[in-house]
Amino acid sequence: MEQNSSNFIRTIIQEDLETGKRDKVVTRFPPEPNGYLHIGHAKSIVINFGLADDFNGKTNLRFDDTNPLKEDQEYVDSIKEDVKWLGYEWDELRFASDYFEEMYNRAVLLINKGKAYVDDLTPDEIRQYRGTLTEPGKDSPYRNRSIEENLDLFERMRNGEFENGKKVLRAKIDMSSPNVNLRDPVIYRVSHATHHNTGDKWCIYPMYGFAHPLEDAIEGVTHSLCTTEFEDQRPLYNWVVAECEMENKPQQIEFGRLNLTNTVMSKRKLKQLVEEEFVDGWDDPRMPTLSGLRRRGYTPEAIREFIQATGVSKGFGIVDSAMLEHFIREDLKLKAPRTMGILRPLKVVITNYPEGQVEMLDAEINPENPDMGMRQIPFSREIYIEQDDFMENPPKKYFRLFPGNEVRLKHAYFIKCEEVIKDENGEVIELRCTYDPETKSGTGFTGRKVKGTLHWVDATQAIPAEFRLYEPLILDADTNENEDVDSMEEKTFLDYVNDNSLQIVQGFIEPNMKDVKPHDKFQFFRHGYFNVDPKLSTEGKAVFNLIVSLKSSFKL
Ligand code: ATP
Ligand code: MG
């Protein structure tokens, strides 16, 4: 697999191994099973698995399942599938919920050391007491409860004696710390909820800031890689590892999140798009989820190459979606068979071609990859071309078909438009053309030139197919990924959802494509790369998702 190029995390790991600070590398990918994985997670996966691989280390897949209200087995299953699909194998499959007993014991240890206390303040009061970035917080009136009282209350929290929100366990650190995260963070809350893994065994759950460092330490993670929004939590991370007397002391290292233009990535927002039916599920081909990208036709190779190219840094940046598209074009260029498909058919009758005659024309499957061989395409008196490829009154420099003009049919002959047939509403429904048998493709004809080359399919043998054409789901180019931003703005990201993100058309494909299978990928001449949709295609009719058009203005 692709090697991780040099980056600051790699340098840290290398030094740790050289100086003997570490004798091995263990990383983890720690998703919360509260949604499907997206392309941003791919970055974390590639970094965690890739770096460990480079140093012969190990990587666990660990579900950070500490919030039963939002988590679900469906998400666990999809995440496993997506990590495998991306091409990675985890060493161990772990669940944070497997460690609930140990976490509880560590919390008891903190209480015994006078480093944690049960607080009766309401969530609102806790917020008020916390202070601000410029003002220190103040102590809760319950901060100085005795160890015995705290032990008793914490046990009773566990035993279900208190309602949600009535009591919390807080770390006793420093209410005047300049780092708000250290102002006695809540480390356990009461939540009477059924957990996807532990059922009703627990009604108190650890908070992220307490649970995550313990999970890492328990698993012997050496380098705990996360995104920069956790930078301010690092002192808490280290405090928990130290005060809970964990044997293994992982090191948290932060890197910049991946953001993409015209893309929302937070699971909360993606979930909203699904629940409010802007899209047809988490795997809708317009979604930036790995399952959506897979269904759209993206390959794991293209996604990995893309992630590698975005690099690893501390910085915040927005990557142009065109860069992702560049990598799928690159990946499919030599792999995908070329073919012709008509998305919006216009019938053409070639009046001087013998009725009933069919000839088979030879065409390369992929001119850039001759090893893929040849295919055969039937040609007869009636064909379909694209409606777009004809204009009755064309502007200057229109080189496609118009009355009196001659064009080349790819792999076939020159045809000339002689007559336009319209229906009673004046719509063009058919063209009458003539062909010149001398101009057959591959015969070396040089008598005259034409400027336009059109694609086409034989009307008598072409297979009906559905094409799904996509535009970005979100119209705002730099939709800010920062969770807090849109609540302050009047518009939400939903105001930027593109009403025209999906267009469905019914067209035709070459008859040699009768046996296409889900996920087969093709380059349709002059249109772009398409993927056979695994959910919507039926025995009788393939549905093609536009992966990406052919043209790109993107330069690496
Ligand atoms: P979201 O904000 O999308 O819900 P999250 O960070 O809450 O994502 P987790 O399930 O906690 O989602 O993520 C698992 C790992 O993936 C974390 O280590 C997280 O930092 C990382 N990750 C999530 N989004 C991105 C991103 N856009 N770029 C890089 N890494 C990411
Ligand atoms: Mg989250």
Side-chain angles (χ1 to χ4, degrees):
M1 209 172 277
E2 311 82 21
Q3 281 269 311
N4 274 295
S5 49
S6 175
N7 63 61
F8 79 99
I9 302 180
R10 205 173 202 287
T11 307
I12 294 174
I13 295 179
Q14 191 124 33
E15 275 171 18
D16 287 351
L17 292 171
E18 278 164 15
T19 59
K21 179 178 169 189
R22 307 276 178 192
D23 60 2
K24 59 179 189 293
V25 177
V26 180
T27 61
R28 84 290 173 262
F29 172 61
E32 182 181 358
N34 61 351
Y36 282 58
L37 296 183
H38 52 62
I39 183 82
H41 292 114
K43 177 149 199 159
S44 181
I45 294 170
V46 169
I47 292 176
N48 276 293
F49 282 86
L51 281 170
D53 249 16
D54 289 350
F55 293 99
N56 289 318
K58 292 182 171 179
T59 306
N60 292 346
L61 172 61
R62 181 213 308 146
F63 288 97
D64 208 341
D65 55 347
T66 54
N67 184 1
L69 290 177
K70 292 189 172 169
E71 295 156 7
D72 201 271
Q73 187 61 38
E74 177 194 347
Y75 301 136
V76 171
D77 296 338
S78 75
I79 289 169
K80 284 159 71 174
E81 186 184 345
D82 288 347
V83 172
K84 279 192 224 154
W85 175 74
L86 250 199
Y88 296 97
E89 273 176 56
W90 49 87
D91 279 280
E92 289 178 54
L93 179 64
R94 300 293 193 101
F95 290 85
S97 52
D98 292 340
Y99 313 142
F100 281 168
E101 194 68 44
E102 164 131 30
M103 290 177 187
Y104 179 85
N105 292 336
R106 300 283 167 172
V108 170
L109 172 68
L110 289 182
I111 296 174
N112 274 314
K113 293 166 74 171
K115 299 274 181 177
Y117 61 97
V118 173
D119 199 349
D120 298 4
L121 291 184
T122 65
D124 266 348
E125 288 166 334
I126 290 179
R127 219 167 293 127
Q128 284 159 23
Y129 276 65
R130 188 176 290 136
T132 64
L133 286 176
T134 48
E135 286 164 54
K138 35 176 211 198
D139 288 359
S140 161
Y142 304 97
R143 196 173 198 259
N144 292 315
R145 277 179 161 146
S146 70
I147 289 174
E148 290 66 37
E149 191 182 0
N150 281 320
L151 287 172
D152 175 58
L153 287 172
F154 188 47
E155 190 176 348
R156 287 165 59 196
M157 279 171 66
R158 175 183 184 159
N159 292 340
E161 286 187 36
F162 306 112
E163 288 168 39
N164 295 355
K166 291 288 182 224
K167 286 200 169 21
V168 292
L169 185 71
R170 298 179 70 174
K172 195 173 188 176
I173 308 179
D174 180 3
M175 286 308 290
S176 57
S177 168
N179 183 337
V180 181
N181 293 293
L182 295 180
R183 294 182 191 168
D184 292 9
V186 173
I187 59 175
Y188 263 94
R189 68 198 184 284
V190 177
S191 178
H192 292 272
T194 303
H195 188 281
H196 74 97
N197 220 7
T198 56
D200 293 321
K201 179 165 184 225
W202 293 89
C203 62
I204 57 171
Y205 292 94
M207 303 297 288
Y208 179 88
F210 177 69
H212 203 81
L214 294 182
E215 294 158 21
D216 287 341
I218 290 167
E219 290 173 21
V221 167
T222 54
H223 299 85
S224 174
L225 313 178
C226 65
T227 38
T228 46
E229 69 271 23
F230 295 103
E231 196 157 6
D232 292 344
Q233 296 230 21
R234 197 188 328 136
L236 175 60
Y237 186 101
N238 292 336
W239 184 94
V240 170
V241 170
E243 294 297 342
C244 289
E245 300 173 16
M246 302 306 291
E247 198 178 320
N248 297 306
K249 299 205 169 14
Q251 177 185 1
Q252 176 177 309
I253 306 171
E254 309 87 13
F255 62 90
R257 292 175 88 79
L258 174 70
N259 296 294
L260 275 184
T261 55
N262 298 92
T263 307
V264 291
M265 244 186 279
S266 109
K267 280 181 281 187
R268 179 179 63 77
K269 291 176 184 170
L270 296 177
K271 192 168 185 200
Q272 210 173 339
L273 289 169
V274 173
E275 283 175 353
E276 295 180 24
E277 297 184 358
F278 286 95
V279 293
D280 169 32
W282 285 93
D283 65 349
D284 186 298
R286 291 165 289 182
M287 292 281 271
T289 50
L290 295 181
S291 51
L293 290 165
R294 173 166 66 235
R295 205 174 142 195
R296 179 82 171 255
Y298 274 83
T299 60
E301 293 83 354
I303 293 175
R304 291 196 308 257
E305 292 286 354
F306 163 72
I307 298 289
Q308 297 286 3
T310 63
V312 183
S313 76
K314 284 254 182 208
F316 173 90
I318 300 184
V319 174
D320 192 337
S321 301
M323 184 168 161
L324 178 59
E325 296 180 341
H326 165 84
F327 280 97
I328 187 65
R329 281 194 200 93
E330 282 296 300
D331 187 42
L332 294 181
K333 195 165 65 184
L334 300 182
K335 289 184 191 166
R338 311 285 169 93
T339 187
M340 295 194 286
I342 297 297
L343 275 51
R344 298 174 185 84
L346 173 61
K347 186 180 254 189
V348 172
V349 177
I350 299 162
T351 53
N352 59 339
Y353 195 88
E355 245 169 283
Q357 180 174 315
V358 180
E359 64 184 302
M360 296 306 286
L361 303 172
D362 290 322
E364 274 178 301
I365 290 177
N366 188 337
E368 293 186 63
N369 184 0
D371 291 349
M372 292 178 81
M374 305 292 285
R375 71 186 196 276
Q376 291 209 304
I377 320 166
F379 182 79
S380 71
R381 196 168 188 266
E382 294 188 2
I383 62 171
Y384 292 119
I385 64 167
E386 261 348 304
Q387 288 170 14
D388 275 2
D389 281 338
F390 171 78
M391 277 183 100
E392 196 168 17
N393 300 299
K396 275 194 183 132
K397 300 208 171 167
Y398 186 84
F399 299 124
R400 294 175 259 170
L401 213 49
F402 56 86
N405 191 41
E406 193 175 45
V407 296
R408 177 198 312 274
L409 293 177
K410 180 80 174 166
H411 303 305
Y413 299 93
F414 289 9
I415 56 167
K416 185 172 179 184
C417 179
E418 309 281 358
E419 194 185 340
V420 181
I421 315 278
K422 298 179 183 176
D423 65 9
E424 61 271 22
N425 304 317
E427 296 283 330
V428 177
I429 51 166
E430 188 181 304
L431 302 177
R432 297 286 166 98
C433 295
T434 50
Y435 89 116
D436 178 352
E438 300 294 312
T439 58
K440 186 169 180 177
S441 173
T443 58
F445 173 77
T446 52
R448 63 186 181 277
K449 288 199 163 99
V450 287
K451 285 202 160 149
T453 299
L454 308 189
H455 59 283
W456 56 276
V457 292
D458 180 79
T460 53
Q461 293 193 44
I463 304 172
E466 178 173 308
F467 294 89
R468 296 187 155 231
L469 311 173
Y470 301 104
E471 284 181 21
L473 185 57
I474 304 292
L475 288 170
D476 181 24
D478 52 352
T479 306
N480 201 315
E481 275 300 313
N482 194 328
E483 288 282 306
D484 308 321
V485 167
D486 58 322
S487 58
M488 281 147 57
E489 290 176 354
E490 281 178 20
K491 284 193 163 188
T492 77
F493 77 100
L494 293 177
D495 295 315
Y496 294 100
V497 173
N498 179 2
D499 293 332
N500 298 315
S501 58
L502 167 64
Q503 201 188 344
I504 302 175
V505 294
Q506 307 297 333
F508 293 98
I509 55 177
E510 293 180 16
N512 55 46
M513 292 174 73
K514 64 179 189 320
D515 295 323
V516 295
K517 288 185 287 304
H519 288 299
D520 282 352
K521 294 163 182 52
F522 295 91
Q523 186 198 106
F524 281 96
F525 182 60
R526 295 174 69 219
H527 283 301
Y529 291 99
F530 284 79
N531 185 46
V532 178
D533 189 283
K535 267 194 174 168
L536 300 172
S537 299
T538 58
E539 279 284 307
K541 193 168 192 179
V543 173
F544 289 89
N545 291 320
L546 173 65
I547 309 171
V548 66
S549 65
L550 292 177
K551 290 189 198 71
S552 163
S553 50
F554 183 78
K555 294 268 177 303
L556 251 192

